[in-house]
Amino acid sequence: MNKPFYLRGILSLIVIVFFSQIHAQDFPIGLKAGVNFASISVSEGAEPDGTIGFHVGAFTHFDVADNFVIQPELLVSLQGGEDANITYVNVPIVGKYFITDQFSAHAGLQFGIVVAKDDELDGFIRTLDVSVPLGVEYQITDGIGAGLRYALG
């Protein structure tokens, strides 16, 4: 019995996220790119089908306190499974807490919209997606960092 396709979760584990910042009058804009490990399940209880993709986009941040910022992002992300390619435009909005000057943890909400998918997925994939990103980040230099993120949803 084939149940409709559904995303078991974006389950994007972003292994390495490189970014750089350009400061334009106290309005930092950064570029971001990385690797995604994504999976999709065909039916309840089925083994997830995984794939490796990538994401690329931009971010900014707004200072809330000395060690806390709100960081909205705009990313194009290749996700899905081995035989199910899905391209999303994702908008994560995370609260980022700086544990030290170089190390931070973040959590928030991520809204995604499908902009392209394989034809055989028509009617099986939701157009809109919401997930909860959780992650850590390490600032290597003033404009370059690396991080890990897991999006549950």
Side-chain angles (χ1 to χ4, degrees):
M1 176 168 143
N2 245 351
K3 293 186 179 182
F5 284 84
Y6 68 94
L7 286 178
R8 178 165 231 155
I10 288 183
L11 302 180
S12 297
L13 175 60
I14 300 170
V15 172
I16 298 178
V17 179
F18 290 104
F19 56 89
S20 62
Q21 291 185 2
I22 303 164
H23 289 279
Q25 295 181 357
D26 294 332
F27 187 73
I29 297 172
L31 303 177
K32 176 174 217 170
V35 177
N36 293 339
F37 290 90
S39 66
I40 187 170
S41 290
V42 182
S43 62
E44 198 164 326
E47 196 65 31
D49 178 24
T51 191
I52 297 174
F54 69 92
H55 68 273
V56 64
F59 68 93
T60 189
H61 69 261
F62 305 97
D63 295 333
V64 176
D66 285 343
N67 58 350
F68 186 76
V69 300
I70 300 295
Q71 180 171 299
E73 303 173 2
L74 180 63
L75 306 171
V76 174
S77 180
L78 301 181
Q79 299 170 199
E82 189 174 319
D83 299 318
N85 297 309
I86 307 167
T87 303
Y88 283 88
V89 170
N90 288 322
V91 180
I93 302 170
V94 297
K96 195 168 164 182
Y97 177 75
F98 286 88
I99 299 162
T100 69
D101 286 344
Q102 294 177 299
F103 185 73
S104 64
H106 60 268
L109 283 176
Q110 176 171 289
F111 305 93
I113 185 165
V114 174
V115 293
K117 65 183 177 317
D118 292 339
D119 289 339
E120 60 268 13
L121 297 175
D122 285 343
F124 297 109
I125 299 295
R126 294 177 300 209
T127 304
L128 298 175
D129 189 58
V130 178
S131 61
V132 176
L134 306 167
V136 293
E137 200 169 279
Y138 182 77
Q139 197 77 22
I140 299 167
T141 67
D142 190 26
I144 297 176
L148 295 169
R149 181 180 290 175
Y150 181 80
L152 178 62

